[in-house]
Amino acid sequence: MSGLHVVSKTRKAGQRWYVYAWRGGPCIYQQDGARPVITPEILGAQQRALQDSFGAQSEDDIDAIIAGYEASPDFTTKKDSTKRDYRRWLTRISERFGNTPLSAFEDRRMRGDIIEWRDLWQHQPRTADKASVMMATLLGWAVENGKIEINVAAGIKQLHRVNKADQVWEDRHWQAVRAVKDFPAHIMDALELGQLTGLRLGDLVRLDWKCVGDKAIIVEKTGKRGGRAVIPIYDDLRKWIDARTDERTGTVLKNSRKTAWTDSGLETVWQRRKPEGFDRVIHDLRGTFVTKLAIKGLTDEEIAKIIGWTAKRIAEIRARYVDEARVIISLAERLSA
């Protein structure tokens, strides 16, 4: 029987699993340790719970909105990785607000309840922001489909503040990484290929040797926008490729088990092994690639076509990291003459 809702919670004594008769329904089974196997006894308990609640379930609460949203093209057309992330947050929303009548979300005071729930993760600002953004997404769908009149979660102030300016890895960053004792070679491979190609993390970990030609690396469909990426194989990139003498099948990058990375896998391992106080992220390697191309003489328009950014954005990076450095070097040479 479908409809069972299984969630886990981490306790000091270990993992505990809860099986609910349905999302927002009563808990009918608990188990510590491994994820429970759905047995005839559990299905029987679900059937009894359904019979007990027959006619009592509301179709006018948040759980009903969650069910409608999950069945809609707004959700079903998303990538599998996005759907997994969304489901995680929809489960958390259900646990907190599942049985709340939709009429409560017509009252702007409910915004305070949402912020209070979001603040459960205030020590992890990015996670907290995901909570409010997912709630706003869900209520936005409800407004669009005529279920409610207002979206009380729209525009909730974000806790995580980011520097929107593009940054690059400078020599000091590479020196810091190389100074880490026993820094894993398979992570260094990923970092180096990132700054040599400018590929996004998802495209980087999925890059297959079939995409590597004699003159260029060609990714027919990138992950974020679905466009085509063509990266000329210049001298530094050629040296990196030629140094990989292992069997050239499957993904170019592999983890410590010699299997393909996942986006989250590479990011997680990097977070564990990066130097203390490191002020750059993997995504900043894209800007690093831009500076490399600028130094080699490519125009802003040529670089923009390769990396998929606007020429204006390229020009900003050039002004900050390339032209400024050249001015400083020129001044130093003139002062030393």
Side-chain angles (χ1 to χ4, degrees):
M1 182 182 295
S2 62
L4 287 169
H5 183 51
V6 183
V7 299
S8 67
K9 292 186 178 179
T10 302
R11 305 160 65 246
K12 288 185 178 180
Q15 199 84 347
R16 172 166 291 182
W17 294 85
Y18 300 85
V19 180
Y20 295 86
W22 59 86
R23 186 188 292 273
C27 181
I28 57 176
Y29 183 76
Q30 296 181 24
Q31 177 176 305
D32 293 331
R35 183 185 177 95
V37 176
I38 305 305
T39 63
E41 289 76 14
I42 292 177
L43 294 176
Q46 182 194 39
Q47 184 61 44
R48 290 190 294 274
L50 287 168
Q51 292 172 351
D52 291 343
S53 64
F54 183 75
Q57 273 189 277
S58 171
E59 295 184 359
D60 193 28
D61 60 16
I62 284 295
D63 275 338
I65 294 300
I66 291 173
Y69 174 68
E70 287 185 325
S72 75
D74 290 50
F75 180 83
T76 59
T77 56
K78 296 188 181 301
K79 294 189 298 184
D80 288 343
S81 59
T82 301
K83 287 191 284 190
R84 284 194 297 271
D85 186 53
Y86 276 30
R87 284 196 183 99
R88 184 182 307 116
W89 282 105
L90 291 172
T91 296
R92 290 171 176 173
I93 291 173
S94 175
E95 290 170 350
R96 174 61 180 85
F97 299 103
N99 294 325
T100 305
L102 284 183
S103 58
F105 290 88
E106 301 281 7
D107 187 333
R108 292 188 181 277
R109 288 174 294 184
M110 181 58 76
R111 187 180 179 91
D113 289 49
I114 295 171
I115 292 173
E116 181 181 350
W117 169 70
R118 176 207 65 180
D119 288 348
L120 294 174
W121 297 278
Q122 60 183 302
H123 60 292
Q124 298 174 287
R126 289 186 182 181
T127 301
D129 289 341
K130 283 186 177 181
S132 57
V133 168
M134 192 68 235
M135 179 61 86
T137 299
L138 181 66
L139 296 181
W141 180 87
V143 170
E144 180 69 20
N145 287 271
K147 307 295 184 181
I148 53 178
E149 294 293 329
I150 60 174
N151 183 348
V152 294
I156 289 178
K157 186 177 180 180
Q158 301 284 283
L159 297 182
H160 178 62
R161 299 181 181 277
V162 297
N163 180 2
K164 295 297 184 179
D166 288 304
Q167 301 187 88
V168 307
W169 287 41
E170 301 173 62
D171 287 342
R172 63 184 176 87
H173 296 103
W174 290 107
Q175 291 169 10
V177 171
R178 293 188 176 101
V180 175
K181 185 178 180 180
D182 300 323
F183 191 79
H186 53 284
I187 303 178
M188 183 62 79
D189 275 351
L191 298 178
E192 289 178 344
L193 188 59
Q195 65 104 7
L196 288 170
T197 62
L199 289 171
R200 292 182 180 89
L201 177 60
D203 297 322
L204 193 65
V205 299
R206 286 186 287 274
L207 181 64
D208 195 281
W209 277 109
K210 294 178 182 178
C211 301
V212 181
D214 292 333
K215 300 295 183 181
I217 291 176
I218 301 177
V219 180
E220 292 294 346
K221 188 175 182 180
T222 59
K224 187 171 183 178
R225 294 187 175 88
R228 188 169 185 257
V230 179
I231 302 149
I233 297 180
Y234 54 97
D235 289 346
D236 291 344
L237 180 54
R238 171 61 65 194
K239 290 176 183 177
W240 190 94
I241 292 171
D242 289 346
R244 272 68 203 164
T245 56
D246 295 340
E247 184 179 2
R248 296 188 177 187
T249 58
T251 56
V252 175
L253 295 174
K254 292 181 173 60
N255 58 27
S256 60
R257 298 184 299 278
K258 303 300 180 182
T259 59
W261 284 104
T262 62
D263 301 25
S264 58
L266 177 55
E267 180 64 33
T268 298
V269 176
W270 160 246
Q271 291 298 327
R272 291 174 182 166
R273 300 305 300 266
K274 70 179 182 180
E276 186 176 352
F278 201 75
D279 62 352
R280 292 292 187 271
V281 297
I282 290 178
H283 184 77
D284 293 331
L285 291 169
R286 301 200 78 203
T288 311
F289 177 62
V290 167
T291 63
K292 182 182 291 290
L293 297 184
I295 290 170
K296 287 183 176 294
L298 274 70
T299 67
D300 295 343
E301 289 74 17
E302 289 170 334
I303 297 172
K305 288 180 181 179
I306 293 173
I307 200 167
W309 287 353
T310 64
K312 178 181 177 182
R313 188 173 176 184
I314 303 298
E316 290 171 351
I317 295 180
R318 182 192 295 274
R320 182 177 179 184
Y321 291 104
V322 181
D323 295 343
E324 182 182 88
R326 286 174 174 164
V327 168
I328 293 173
I329 292 172
S330 176
L331 288 173
E333 290 175 346
R334 287 163 60 188
L335 291 171
S336 300

